[in-house]
């Protein structure tokens, strides 16, 4: 095993992350070639440090049976264990006020949360996104496990064995509901030429005069505000449901972009958007940035769009203490996009989930302070991992589970996993994806479900 040492800034970042999660005073220091975690006079010694966790490279994989060493797993007794070198004798050895750990758990946390494998720029998809299929988690079948949260719970059990009188921090499961406003209306923001093409299509293909009239009629009656009858105008439904659950929904708006194939057809300067922004704010929900298609990798692009969003909100009298958001199409170049988000003054970003598969891209469902693995420095922005996007589950180009029981079952499975680790279930559901009774029922069932089994 090749040893390494974290830079001081990385060690401080890890130490603060452990304090936030465990809720006890602790210190991380190097003693000779080992990394030592000190808690209330006891020591946890990590004597097997894996350089690949920090600098990249092919990571091995195995599973570890925690019950064989007297531990209890939150989800299963078999934990995903990337990078473990099996040498026999177990992972944890207790000696008086000390525990020797023959696994680089600190390196694992650093590797997963800071997306070290994505620095190697494996094969990208057509939107220049890191592919789920290129990830270690998909290759070894553990994408649907928040394995960092599971391992941190094991670490907590070690701390309590050494310090039976200590009390660890209790976390409470939460649900984060967010809505990318790609299309606030199906008809209102289309050009007249587009409306006429849609009408012609309904008439010629479906032989329906009623449907043919709809694009034109909806455009006419949406002159001052989005019609309540527009299929994509589901904002009241989303806010009503969130309010019943005591949740603040987040609505992310596109504030620029000129890509005709992928960017929005609306502009923030439109008075219909102003009315929508004011209503969201009046009801106590959050407004954030949905950066346009090209901005994820463009110097200063996210900052420019955030400035535009804040200017419009300020002119409307909308004030927020923090601003978050998500990249359009979940486009992300790590850590370039992260740095651009911080430069834009964003408090958090919630892009980091895969478009093609749901699950735990970062290995956790907890929000955490970001770290730049290139410059080796802490950042001021927080990462809120995305667990599920509804189109990932429903659409044919991704999982293609449709709109029925199978799709609902998959999403609820992931929500319940988040609940089991007392973490955060972050769900993205577009306002434009509630166009049928079936979809509305599915969304309501998912939000209202309180089962953790």
């Amino acid at each position: 095993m090749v040893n390494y040492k974290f830079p001081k800034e990385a060690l401080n970042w890890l130490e603060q992350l452990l304090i936030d999660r465990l809720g006890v005073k602790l210190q991380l220091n190097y003693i000779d070639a080992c990394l030592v975690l000190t808690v209330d006079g006891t020591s946890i010694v990590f004597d097997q440090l894996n350089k690949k966790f920090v600098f990249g490279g092919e990571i091995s994989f195995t599973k570890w049976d925690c019950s064989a060493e007297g531990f209890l797993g939150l989800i299963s007794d078999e934990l995903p264990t990337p990078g473990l070198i099996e040498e026999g004798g177990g992972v944890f050895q207790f000696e008086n006020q000390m525990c020797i750990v023959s696994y680089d758990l600190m390196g694992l946390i650093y590797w997963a949360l800071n997306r070290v494998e994505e620095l190697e720029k494996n094969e990208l998809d057509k939107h220049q996104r890191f592919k789920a299929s290129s990830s270690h988690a998909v290759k070894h079948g553990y994408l649907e496990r928040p394995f960092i949260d599971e391992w941190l719970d094991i670490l907590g059990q070690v701390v309590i064995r050494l310090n039976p009188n200590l009390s660890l921090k209790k976390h409470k499961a939460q649900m984060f509901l967010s809505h990318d406003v790609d299309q606030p209306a199906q008809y209102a923001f289309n050009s007249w030429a587009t409306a006429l093409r849609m009408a012609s299509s309904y008439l010629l293909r479906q032989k329906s005069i009623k449907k043919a009239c709809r694009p034109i009629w909806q455009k006419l009656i949406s002159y001052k505000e989005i019609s309540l009858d527009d299929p994509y105008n589901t904002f009241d439904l989303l806010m009503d449901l969130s309010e019943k659950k005591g949740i603040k929904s987040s609505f992310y708006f596109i504030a620029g972009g000129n890509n005709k194939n992928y960017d929005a057809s609306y502009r923030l300067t439109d008075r219909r958007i102003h009315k929508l922004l004011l209503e969201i704010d009046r009801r106590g929900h959050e407004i954030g940035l949905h950066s346009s298609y090209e901005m994820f990798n463009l110097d200063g692009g996210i900052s420019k769009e955030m400035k535009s969003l804040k200017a419009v909100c300020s002119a409307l009298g909308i004030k927020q203490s923090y601003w978050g958001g998500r990249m359009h199409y979940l486009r992300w170049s790590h850590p370039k996009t992260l740095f651009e988000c911080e430069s834009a003054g964003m408090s958090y970003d919630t892009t980091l989930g895969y478009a093609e598969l749901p699950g735990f891209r970062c290995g956790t469902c907890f929000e955490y302070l970001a770290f730049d693995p290139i410059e080796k420095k802490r950042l001021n922005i927080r990462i809120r991992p995305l667990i599920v996007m509804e189109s990932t589950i429903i659409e044919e180009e991704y999982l293609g589970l449709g709109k029925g029981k199978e799709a609902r079952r998959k999403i609820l499975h992931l929500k319940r996993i988040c609940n089991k680790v007392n973490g955060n279930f972050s769900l993205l559901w577009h306002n434009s994806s509630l166009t049928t009774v079936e979809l509305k029922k599915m969304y309501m069932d998912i939000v209202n479900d309180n089962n953790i089994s």
Side-chain angles (χ1 to χ4, degrees), residues 241-341:
L241 188 56
S242 289
E243 288 161 16
K244 287 177 183 177
K245 296 292 291 184
I247 296 171
K248 179 186 287 189
S249 263
S250 301
F251 295 88
Y252 303 140
F253 286 81
I254 294 178
N258 297 306
N259 190 307
K260 294 181 179 179
N261 293 322
Y262 299 115
D263 282 324
S265 58
Y266 67 89
R267 290 291 178 264
L268 287 181
T269 52
D270 193 296
R271 60 181 174 178
R272 294 166 290 185
I273 297 298
H274 290 178
K275 291 198 73 171
L276 179 55
L277 291 169
L278 285 166
E279 181 63 8
I280 290 169
D281 180 66
R282 183 189 71 79
R283 294 183 62 166
H285 297 277
E286 180 192 344
I287 293 164
L289 180 66
H290 192 38
S291 294
S292 60
Y293 188 77
E294 307 291 352
M295 295 302 107
F296 82 111
N297 205 24
L298 188 66
D299 291 347
I302 299 171
S303 293
K304 182 180 178 181
E305 293 189 346
M306 179 58 82
K307 185 177 180 181
S308 296
L309 177 62
K310 286 183 175 180
V312 167
C313 288
S314 178
L316 294 172
I318 296 171
K319 297 178 181 179
Q320 293 186 167
S321 58
Y322 60 90
W323 297 83
R326 180 183 293 118
M327 300 298 110
H328 198 26
Y329 276 78
L330 304 186
R331 301 185 92 198
W332 190 268
S333 178
H334 196 69
K336 167 69 173 174
T337 311
L338 189 60
F339 174 76
E340 291 296 328
C341 289

Side-chain angles (χ1 to χ4, degrees), residues 176 347-348 364-369 382-385 424:
F176 290 132
S347 300
Y348 73 88
T364 179
C365 53
F366 282 77
E367 186 175 300
Y368 61 93
L369 187 66
R382 299 185 70 81
I383 292 173
R384 181 179 295 175
N424 307 323

Side-chain angles (χ1 to χ4, degrees), residues 76 89 165 338 413:
S76 166
N165 295 323
L338 189 60
H413 168 69

Side-chain angles (χ1 to χ4, degrees), residues 7 9-10 54-55 110 371-378:
E9 190 78 2
V54 177
F55 299 103
Y110 182 94
F371 187 86
D372 184 340
I374 299 295
E375 298 297 328
K376 302 292 191 295
K377 64 178 183 179
R378 286 191 291 183

Side-chain angles (χ1 to χ4, degrees), residues 380-433:
N380 293 318
I381 187 171
R382 299 185 70 81
I383 292 173
R384 181 179 295 175
L386 174 64
I387 310 305
V388 177
M389 175 173 68
E390 96 287 351
S391 54
T392 300
I393 305 296
I394 295 167
E395 300 298 332
E396 284 294 333
E397 64 177 308
Y398 298 129
L399 273 186
L401 299 184
K403 305 170 185 178
K405 291 181 179 180
E406 192 177 359
R408 176 183 176 277
R409 191 160 44 243
K410 171 63 74 172
I411 298 174
L412 286 177
H413 168 69
L414 289 161
K415 180 181 180 181
R416 291 166 186 173
I417 285 177
C418 293
N419 289 344
K420 283 183 177 180
V421 299
N422 292 313
N424 307 323
F425 177 60
S426 177
L427 172 65
L428 160 58
W429 201 290
H430 294 78
N431 62 285
S432 52
S433 291

